[in-house]
Amino acid sequence: GGVMATLSRVKVKTQSAGRMLGALGYAMQARKTMYQGQWLVSGSNCVPRTCYLEMMATKRQHKKDRGVYFYSFVQSFHPDERITPQEANRIALELADKLFPDYESVVATPVDTDNIHSHIIVNSVSFRHGKKLHLSPTSIEEMRKVNDQVCMAHGFSVLGPYSERKKKRKPIKPGEYRSAMRGSSWKFALSRAIDDALEYSTDRRSFIQNMEYE
């Protein structure tokens, strides 16, 4: 048991160049990612400030600016894990380097939430060989193994195999429920996400898009 870092995929169904720009811009907002004078956004095979242009140039060079434009992942640490936002950003960048060595990706660590996590946004076309990144339904399991290795190498704990985790779930007791509600529960995270999405949304459609990124 104990604390852990998890990796999950955020599926974005309808995709376009504008949607990719929106995802990058949303993840990299200075308001969310500035911490102690540091901008917690890093690039793997690209420079954050020009990442969108670099990613689009890669697509156009290989004539693949259509279909799936990007993949989005979140690496999150348990609230009890003692990790600084800077460390979290470095570990997520290392994970991106290992998982997608031939693709441009951006790693952004927002600091306006209770649980420390990073967004990893990956270009779907390789700058190195022009091949599109295809993720099978089981690829997330392989990625999680790499995630566990990276975290353990840094001394951060991980749980046992994902398949075993589900079996151990016990029903939640009323006391636990109340303490979860007081603590950094998903409901608080969700209400904060909704506030953030509303603040950045100009209309209903952009609100729904922003909620998907949150």
Side-chain angles (χ1 to χ4, degrees), residues 151-167:
C151 291
M152 285 192 284
H154 285 271
F156 292 103
S157 39
V158 291
L159 283 183
Y162 280 70
S163 54
E164 289 169 23
R165 294 180 194 182
K166 293 187 184 76
K167 290 177 206 154

Side-chain angles (χ1 to χ4, degrees), residues 63-105:
K63 300 187 172 51
K64 290 183 181 174
D65 48 344
R66 63 188 170 274
V68 175
Y69 275 73
F70 65 99
Y71 290 97
S72 178
F73 299 90
V74 176
Q75 183 196 47
S76 52
F77 288 87
H78 190 277
D80 297 340
E81 192 73 89
R82 296 175 68 138
I83 182 169
T84 67
Q86 289 99 324
E87 282 176 313
N89 189 265
R90 276 199 300 276
I91 288 173
L93 179 62
E94 193 177 312
L95 180 65
D97 284 338
K98 280 204 164 69
L99 290 177
F100 315 108
D102 300 331
Y103 295 81
E104 294 136 329
S105 58

